[in-house]
Coordinates of all heavy atoms in Angstrom, one line a residue:
E1792 N -27.0 68.1 -8.0 CA -26.0 69.1 -7.8 C -26.6 70.5 -7.5 O -26.2 71.2 -6.6 CB -25.1 69.2 -9.0 CG -24.1 68.1 -9.2 CD -22.9 68.2 -8.4 OE1 -22.5 69.3 -8.0 OE2 -22.2 67.2 -8.1
M1793 N -27.7 70.8 -8.2 CA -28.4 72.0 -8.0 C -29.1 72.0 -6.6 O -29.0 73.0 -5.9 CB -29.4 72.2 -9.1 CG -28.9 72.3 -10.5 SD -30.2 72.2 -11.8 CE -29.2 72.1 -13.3
A1794 N -29.8 71.0 -6.3 CA -30.6 70.9 -5.1 C -29.7 70.9 -3.8 O -30.1 71.4 -2.8 CB -31.5 69.7 -5.1
K1796 N -26.9 72.3 -3.3 CA -26.3 73.6 -3.1 C -27.0 74.7 -4.0 O -26.5 75.1 -5.0 CB -24.8 73.6 -3.4 CG -24.0 74.7 -2.8 CD -22.5 74.5 -3.0 CE -21.7 75.7 -2.4 NZ -20.3 75.5 -2.6
P1797 N -28.2 75.1 -3.6 CA -29.0 76.0 -4.5 C -28.5 77.4 -4.6 O -29.0 78.1 -5.4 CB -30.4 75.9 -3.8 CG -30.1 75.6 -2.4 CD -28.9 74.7 -2.4
T1798 N -27.5 77.8 -3.9 CA -26.8 79.1 -4.1 C -25.3 78.8 -4.2 O -24.8 78.1 -3.3 CB -27.1 80.0 -3.0 OG1 -28.5 80.3 -2.9 CG2 -26.4 81.4 -3.2
R1799 N -24.7 79.4 -5.2 CA -23.2 79.2 -5.4 C -22.6 80.5 -5.7 O -23.0 81.2 -6.6 CB -22.9 78.2 -6.5 CG -23.4 76.8 -6.2 CD -22.8 75.8 -7.1 NE -23.3 74.5 -6.9 CZ -22.7 73.4 -7.3 NH1 -21.6 73.4 -7.9 NH2 -23.3 72.2 -7.1
L1800 N -21.5 80.8 -5.0 CA -20.7 82.0 -5.3 C -19.6 81.6 -6.3 O -19.3 80.4 -6.4 CB -20.0 82.5 -4.0 CG -20.9 83.0 -2.9 CD1 -20.1 83.4 -1.7 CD2 -21.9 84.1 -3.4
N1801 N -19.1 82.6 -7.0 CA -18.1 82.3 -8.1 C -18.6 81.2 -9.1 O -17.9 80.3 -9.4 CB -16.8 81.9 -7.5 CG -16.2 83.0 -6.5 OD1 -16.2 84.1 -6.9 ND2 -15.8 82.6 -5.3
W1802 N -19.9 81.4 -9.5 CA -20.5 80.4 -10.3 C -21.4 81.1 -11.3 O -22.1 82.0 -11.0 CB -21.3 79.4 -9.5 CG -21.6 78.1 -10.2 CD1 -22.8 77.9 -10.8 CD2 -20.8 77.0 -10.3 NE1 -22.8 76.6 -11.4 CE2 -21.6 76.0 -11.0 CE3 -19.6 76.6 -9.8 CZ2 -21.1 74.8 -11.3 CZ3 -19.1 75.4 -10.0 CH2 -19.8 74.4 -10.8
D1803 N -21.5 80.5 -12.5 CA -22.3 81.1 -13.6 C -23.2 79.9 -14.1 O -22.6 79.0 -14.7 CB -21.5 81.7 -14.7 CG -22.4 82.3 -15.8 OD1 -23.6 82.3 -15.7 OD2 -21.8 82.8 -16.8
N1804 N -24.5 80.0 -14.0 CA -25.4 78.9 -14.5 C -26.0 79.3 -15.8 O -27.0 78.6 -16.3 CB -26.4 78.5 -13.5 CG -27.4 79.7 -13.1 OD1 -27.4 80.7 -13.8 ND2 -28.1 79.5 -12.0
F1805 N -25.5 80.3 -16.5 CA -25.9 80.7 -17.8 C -27.3 81.2 -17.9 O -27.9 81.1 -19.0 CB -25.7 79.5 -18.8 CG -24.3 78.9 -18.8 CD1 -24.1 77.6 -18.5 CD2 -23.2 79.7 -19.1 CE1 -22.8 77.0 -18.5 CE2 -21.9 79.1 -19.1 CZ -21.7 77.8 -18.8
S1806 N -27.8 81.7 -16.9 CA -29.1 82.4 -17.0 C -29.0 83.5 -18.0 O -28.0 84.2 -18.0 CB -29.6 82.9 -15.6 OG -29.8 81.9 -14.7
F1816 N -27.7 90.7 -5.7 CA -27.9 89.2 -5.8 C -29.3 88.9 -5.2 O -30.1 88.1 -5.7 CB -26.8 88.4 -5.1 CG -27.0 86.9 -5.2 CD1 -26.8 86.3 -6.4 CD2 -27.3 86.2 -4.1 CE1 -26.9 84.9 -6.5 CE2 -27.5 84.8 -4.2 CZ -27.3 84.2 -5.4
E1817 N -29.6 89.5 -4.0 CA -30.9 89.2 -3.3 C -32.0 89.7 -4.2 O -33.1 89.1 -4.2 CB -30.9 89.8 -1.9 CG -30.0 89.0 -0.9 CD -30.4 87.6 -0.8 OE1 -31.6 87.2 -0.8 OE2 -29.4 86.7 -0.8
C1819 N -32.1 89.9 -7.3 CA -32.1 88.9 -8.4 C -32.9 87.7 -8.0 O -33.8 87.2 -8.8 CB -30.7 88.5 -8.9 SG -30.6 87.8 -10.5
R1820 N -32.7 87.2 -6.8 CA -33.4 86.0 -6.3 C -34.9 86.3 -6.2 O -35.7 85.5 -6.6 CB -32.9 85.6 -4.9 CG -33.5 84.4 -4.4 CD -33.3 84.3 -2.8 NE -32.0 84.4 -2.5 CZ -31.1 83.4 -2.3 NH1 -31.6 82.2 -2.6 NH2 -29.9 83.6 -1.9
C1823 N -36.6 86.3 -9.5 CA -36.9 84.9 -10.0 C -38.1 84.3 -9.2 O -38.9 83.6 -9.8 CB -35.6 84.1 -9.7 SG -35.7 82.4 -10.5
D1824 N -38.2 84.6 -7.9 CA -39.3 84.1 -7.1 C -40.6 84.6 -7.7 O -41.6 83.8 -7.8 CB -39.2 84.5 -5.7 CG -38.2 83.6 -4.9 OD1 -38.0 82.5 -5.3 OD2 -37.6 84.1 -3.9
C1829 N -39.6 81.2 -13.8 CA -38.1 81.2 -13.5 C -37.7 80.1 -12.6 O -38.4 79.7 -11.6 CB -37.8 82.5 -12.8 SG -36.0 82.7 -12.4
V1830 N -36.6 79.4 -13.0 CA -36.1 78.3 -12.2 C -34.7 78.5 -11.7 O -34.1 77.8 -10.9 CB -36.2 76.9 -12.9 CG1 -37.6 76.6 -13.2 CG2 -35.4 77.0 -14.2
Q1831 N -34.0 79.6 -12.3 CA -32.7 79.8 -11.9 C -32.3 81.3 -12.1 O -33.0 82.0 -12.9 CB -31.7 78.9 -12.6 CG -31.6 79.2 -14.1 CD -30.5 78.4 -14.7 OE1 -30.3 77.2 -14.4 NE2 -29.7 79.0 -15.6
F1832 N -31.3 81.8 -11.5 CA -30.9 83.2 -11.7 C -29.3 83.3 -11.5 O -28.7 82.4 -10.9 CB -31.6 84.1 -10.6 CG -31.4 83.7 -9.2 CD1 -30.4 84.3 -8.4 CD2 -32.2 82.7 -8.6 CE1 -30.2 83.9 -7.1 CE2 -32.0 82.3 -7.3 CZ -30.9 82.9 -6.6
S1833 N -28.8 84.3 -12.0 CA -27.4 84.6 -11.9 C -27.1 86.1 -11.9 O -27.7 86.8 -12.7 CB -26.6 84.0 -13.2 OG -25.2 84.2 -13.1
F1834 N -26.2 86.5 -11.0 CA -25.9 87.9 -10.9 C -24.4 88.0 -11.3 O -23.5 87.6 -10.6 CB -26.0 88.4 -9.4 CG -26.0 89.9 -9.3 CD1 -27.1 90.6 -9.7 CD2 -25.0 90.5 -8.7 CE1 -27.2 92.0 -9.6 CE2 -25.0 91.9 -8.6 CZ -26.1 92.7 -9.0
R1835 N -24.2 88.5 -12.6 CA -22.9 88.6 -13.2 C -22.5 90.0 -13.5 O -23.2 90.7 -14.1 CB -22.9 87.8 -14.5 CG -23.2 86.3 -14.4 CD -22.9 85.6 -15.7 NE -23.7 86.1 -16.8 CZ -24.9 85.6 -17.2 NH1 -25.4 84.6 -16.5 NH2 -25.5 86.0 -18.3
C1839 N -28.4 91.3 -13.3 CA -29.2 90.1 -12.9 C -29.7 89.5 -14.2 O -30.2 90.2 -15.1 CB -30.3 90.6 -12.0 SG -31.5 89.2 -11.7
F1840 N -29.6 88.2 -14.2 CA -30.2 87.4 -15.3 C -31.0 86.2 -14.7 O -30.6 85.7 -13.7 CB -29.1 86.8 -16.2 CG -28.2 87.8 -16.9 CD1 -27.1 88.3 -16.2 CD2 -28.5 88.3 -18.1 CE1 -26.3 89.2 -16.8 CE2 -27.7 89.2 -18.8 CZ -26.6 89.7 -18.1
T1841 N -32.1 85.9 -15.3 CA -32.9 84.8 -14.9 C -33.0 83.8 -16.0 O -32.7 84.1 -17.2 CB -34.3 85.2 -14.4 OG1 -35.0 85.9 -15.5 CG2 -34.2 86.1 -13.2
G1842 N -33.5 82.6 -15.7 CA -33.6 81.5 -16.7 C -34.8 80.6 -16.4 O -35.2 80.3 -15.3
S1843 N -35.5 80.2 -17.5 CA -36.6 79.3 -17.4 C -36.3 77.9 -17.6 O -37.2 77.0 -17.6 CB -37.7 79.8 -18.4 OG -37.2 79.7 -19.7
R1844 N -35.0 77.6 -17.9 CA -34.6 76.2 -18.1 C -33.4 76.0 -17.3 O -32.4 76.7 -17.4 CB -34.3 75.9 -19.6 CG -35.6 76.0 -20.5 CD -35.3 75.3 -21.8 NE -34.2 75.9 -22.5 CZ -34.3 76.8 -23.5 NH1 -35.4 77.3 -23.8 NH2 -33.2 77.2 -24.1
P1845 N -33.3 74.9 -16.4 CA -32.2 74.8 -15.5 C -30.9 74.2 -16.2 O -31.0 73.3 -17.0 CB -32.7 73.7 -14.5 CG -33.7 73.0 -15.3 CD -34.4 73.9 -16.2
R1846 N -29.8 74.9 -15.9 CA -28.5 74.4 -16.3 C -27.6 74.5 -15.1 O -27.7 75.4 -14.3 CB -28.0 75.3 -17.4 CG -28.9 75.2 -18.7 CD -28.5 76.3 -19.7 NE -27.4 75.9 -20.5 CZ -26.9 76.6 -21.5 NH1 -27.3 77.9 -21.7 NH2 -25.8 76.2 -22.2
L1847 N -26.7 73.6 -15.0 CA -25.8 73.6 -13.8 C -24.8 74.7 -13.9 O -24.5 75.4 -12.9 CB -25.0 72.2 -13.7 CG -24.1 72.1 -12.6 CD1 -24.8 72.3 -11.2 CD2 -23.4 70.7 -12.6
G1848 N -24.2 74.9 -15.1 CA -23.2 76.0 -15.2 C -21.8 75.6 -14.8 O -21.5 74.4 -14.7
A1856 N -19.4 86.7 -10.2 CA -20.6 85.9 -10.6 C -21.1 85.1 -9.4 O -20.3 84.6 -8.6 CB -20.3 85.0 -11.8
A1857 N -22.4 85.0 -9.2 CA -23.0 84.2 -8.2 C -24.3 83.7 -8.8 O -25.0 84.4 -9.6 CB -23.3 84.9 -6.9
S1858 N -24.7 82.4 -8.5 CA -25.9 81.8 -9.2 C -26.7 81.1 -8.1 O -26.3 80.7 -7.1 CB -25.5 80.9 -10.3 OG -24.8 81.6 -11.3
G1859 N -28.0 80.9 -8.5 CA -28.9 80.1 -7.7 C -30.0 79.4 -8.5 O -30.2 79.7 -9.6
W1860 N -30.6 78.4 -7.8 CA -31.7 77.7 -8.5 C -32.9 77.6 -7.5 O -32.7 77.8 -6.3 CB -31.2 76.3 -8.8 CG -30.1 76.2 -9.7 CD1 -30.1 76.0 -11.1 CD2 -28.7 76.2 -9.4 NE1 -28.9 76.0 -11.6 CE2 -28.0 76.1 -10.6 CE3 -28.0 76.4 -8.2 CZ2 -26.6 76.2 -10.6 CZ3 -26.6 76.4 -8.2 CH2 -25.9 76.3 -9.4
L1861 N -34.1 77.3 -8.0 CA -35.3 77.1 -7.3 C -35.6 75.6 -7.4 O -36.3 75.2 -8.3 CB -36.4 77.9 -7.7 CG -36.2 79.4 -7.8 CD1 -37.5 80.2 -8.1 CD2 -35.6 79.9 -6.4
P1862 N -35.1 74.7 -6.5 CA -35.2 73.3 -6.7 C -36.6 72.7 -6.8 O -36.9 71.8 -7.5 CB -34.4 72.7 -5.4 CG -33.5 73.8 -5.1 CD -34.2 75.1 -5.4
I1865 N -37.8 73.2 -10.2 CA -37.1 72.3 -11.1 C -37.6 70.8 -11.0 O -37.8 70.1 -12.0 CB -35.6 72.3 -10.9 CG1 -35.0 73.7 -11.1 CG2 -34.8 71.3 -11.7 CD1 -33.6 73.9 -10.7

Side-chain angles (χ1 to χ4, degrees):
E1792 289 279 338
M1793 299 169 190
K1796 195 174 181 181
T1798 299
R1799 297 193 185 202
L1800 300 178
N1801 300 313
W1802 195 268
D1803 183 4
N1804 62 15
F1805 306 121
S1806 298
F1816 182 73
E1817 287 304 319
C1819 197
R1820 184 201 305 271
C1823 188
D1824 280 333
C1829 182
V1830 297
Q1831 67 174 41
F1832 57 95
S1833 179
F1834 196 72
R1835 300 191 299 266
C1839 172
F1840 299 88
T1841 57
S1843 58
R1844 298 196 301 263
R1846 300 169 81 181
L1847 180 59
S1858 295
W1860 299 266
L1861 303 185
I1865 297 172

